[in-house]
Amino acid sequence: MDDLSSVGGNSPDVTVSLGDRSYGIAIGSGTLGNLGQECLKLEIGKKVAIITNPTVAGYYLASVRTSLESAGFNVAVVEIPDGEEFKNLDTVASVYNDLVDAGMNRGGFVVALGGGVVGDLAGFAAATFLRGIEFVQVPTTLLSQVDSSVGGKTGVNLDKGKNLVGAFHQPRFVLIDVMTLSTLPEREFIGGLAEVIKYGAVLDAELFGFLEQHSEEILARDPEPLKQIISWCCRLKADVVAQDERETGLRAVLNFGHTLGHAVELLTGYGKYSHGEAVAIGMVAAASFSEQKGFAAPEDTARIRALLARMGLPAEAPQFAPGEYIASLVRDKKSRDGGITFVCNKGIGGFSFERVTDLWPLLSASGIGG
Ligand code: NAD
Ligand code: GLY
């Protein structure tokens, strides 16, 4: 990993290299007010619609708006209701209408100001409105700063499942201000840490060690280690996305812990566990399965469990009949022919894809069904 001591300021700290669709990610502290100047550099028109929700708007809309207006942009604001339950096609339709009313044309662009829900929905609206306009991500949750704002996956949920409609549409720029995390509710912050731990567990042993060593400062939301870990994760994700933008192979490594995590969310009815908590449970299950398969030692599993616990994340899978878990696992949109491709950790910082058709060993490794 690169020297991280220089992280900060306004320069794009990370680049997602995708040829003529490459873009920068600027990671700093107290940098929201730079958005206008950064957008000017992109030369993507003067009309901008900020898509946000009332919660995030209450904290950050004024500074984002002022920054854009001071840079000479003609700014409209489109608010969507706060909540995963509004990440759907009805909300997208209302956003399209608001964009028309705001006079948005193909020369304009969208700024997604908020967490992953706003980012996914605003990105999808940008991907499809007038057959596609540009957009900029300003993520304000830890999860969106380390994961959803980078890589161009946009979309919405259907009643029949999450993220079933979407498009790959890369942003033109991502501005991450870690100071926005100071207002994030504790449970959301800790949920985001599950994704950070994921990167360490399967992609970078050094990051994992850093998290072990600096857990206290991270939990206290000290901006310095936060900038470091966010940059680190963005670099890792940028590297994966540059190699496999459309998830034909490598990008699936980012699903570590998500396979069983999605089943936990589905079985418990979305809400009992946050996404990050469910992923934490899924990572413990994946680590135990990886150990069973001989990819990892008991000490590796113990370290993953200990770090998740240190960050306040759960480990034990809720008890449902194994058959219910199996039905949920094979319902996942990533399952094929009754089996799943499962991401195992190799030690700490490595991974292996395993095709699993007999799901019982996976469940018993997770403590489900004996
Ligand atoms: P979220 O967007 O619902 O945000 C969580 C809560 O925090 C919301 O109530 C929001 O209003 C509030 N909030 C946001 N920023 C805040 C701040 N700075 N201060 C105070 N409150 C703030 O949830 P999330 O965890 O950011 O995102 C979850 C979504 O991301 C899911 O829909 C998931 O499918 C999606 N996702 C997408 C990708 C991708 O690659 N596109 C990857 C992972 C997750
Ligand atoms: N969050 C997984 C991905 O972006 O591929």
Side-chain angles (χ1 to χ4, degrees):
M1 178 52 53
D2 306 348
D3 174 19
L4 292 162
S5 55
S6 62
V7 166
N10 310 331
S11 60
D13 301 296
V14 179
T15 299
V16 182
S17 300
L18 289 167
D20 60 5
R21 290 174 299 116
S22 297
Y23 54 96
I25 308 170
I27 301 132
S29 177
T31 48
L32 263 193
N34 300 338
L35 184 67
Q37 290 303 319
E38 293 290 356
C39 288
L40 271 185
K41 292 185 209 157
L42 303 174
E43 297 180 353
I44 49 175
K46 283 292 173 138
K47 180 81 199 165
V48 53
I50 302 169
I51 303 182
T52 188
N53 72 31
T55 312
V56 178
Y59 293 114
Y60 304 112
L61 178 59
S63 55
V64 166
R65 184 178 197 147
T66 304
S67 171
L68 288 163
E69 285 177 348
S70 307
F73 290 98
N74 176 354
V75 181
V77 176
V78 175
E79 278 197 13
I80 61 173
D82 186 0
E84 180 78 36
E85 66 273 34
F86 299 105
K87 193 178 126 177
N88 58 34
L89 289 167
D90 289 343
T91 309
V92 173
S94 86
V95 167
Y96 293 148
N97 282 311
D98 289 345
L99 292 175
V100 172
D101 290 346
M104 180 59 72
N105 55 37
R106 292 186 98 171
F109 68 103
V110 160
V111 166
L113 172 66
V117 167
V118 166
D120 279 14
L121 189 142
F124 181 64
T128 46
F129 184 71
L130 304 179
R131 301 198 177 84
I133 61 174
E134 306 281 13
F135 87 117
V136 167
Q137 288 269 22
V138 184
T140 60
T141 62
L142 183 56
L143 177 139
S144 57
Q145 294 182 352
V146 298
D147 191 353
S148 62
S149 65
V150 175
K153 279 189 185 176
T154 72
V156 294
N157 305 327
L158 298 180
D159 291 343
K160 289 186 186 298
K162 281 191 69 174
N163 298 323
L164 291 184
V165 175
F168 284 96
H169 187 52
Q170 299 292 341
R172 283 294 302 274
F173 179 64
V174 183
L175 186 145
I176 297 175
D177 180 350
V178 301
M179 287 311 288
T180 58
L181 299 180
S182 63
T183 54
L184 194 64
E186 184 71 358
R187 200 167 171 199
E188 299 293 346
F189 180 76
I190 288 176
L193 286 175
E195 301 287 353
V196 175
I197 293 170
K198 170 191 82 177
Y199 285 103
V202 285
L203 288 173
D204 196 320
E206 201 187 327
L207 169 60
F208 197 91
F210 184 91
L211 297 171
E212 289 176 320
Q213 279 161 26
H214 297 275
S215 58
E216 224 165 276
E217 301 103 285
I218 291 166
L219 285 167
R221 307 191 201 183
D222 179 337
E224 283 311 312
L226 282 182
K227 272 196 291 187
Q228 292 190 24
I229 61 171
I230 292 165
S231 300
W232 211 322
C233 294
C234 286
R235 262 179 240 277
L236 290 167
K237 182 153 184 186
D239 196 31
V240 167
V241 169
Q243 292 176 63
D244 179 22
E245 182 183 7
R246 294 198 166 232
E247 198 171 314
T248 54
L250 174 67
R251 188 165 175 167
V253 70
L254 301 173
N255 298 331
F256 180 66
H258 285 57
T259 309
L260 197 92
H262 286 155
V264 167
E265 285 183 286
L266 190 65
L267 287 171
T268 53
Y270 296 100
K272 179 170 176 4
Y273 293 93
S274 72
H275 176 68
E277 289 164 351
V279 167
I281 291 168
M283 285 195 284
V284 170
S288 306
F289 184 64
S290 305
E291 184 189 323
Q292 200 182 72
K293 285 269 171 190
F295 292 130
E299 304 83 78
D300 301 321
T301 314
R303 280 179 73 192
I304 291 174
R305 272 183 176 271
L307 183 56
L308 290 167
R310 175 74 196 93
M311 297 302 193
L313 287 156
E316 305 311 325
Q319 287 301 325
F320 286 89
E324 289 190 76
Y325 267 103
I326 288 175
S328 305
L329 288 167
V330 298
R331 242 188 77 176
D332 193 279
K333 69 175 181 292
K334 284 164 181 133
S335 77
R336 299 266 189 287
D337 307 325
I340 54 176
T341 300
F342 197 76
V343 188
C344 291
N345 59 296
K346 267 192 164 173
I348 299 282
F351 67 91
S352 169
F353 292 124
E354 285 299 293
R355 181 81 192 146
V356 181
T357 43
D358 177 7
L359 297 168
W360 290 94
L362 167 63
L363 293 181
S364 69
S366 321
I368 294 160

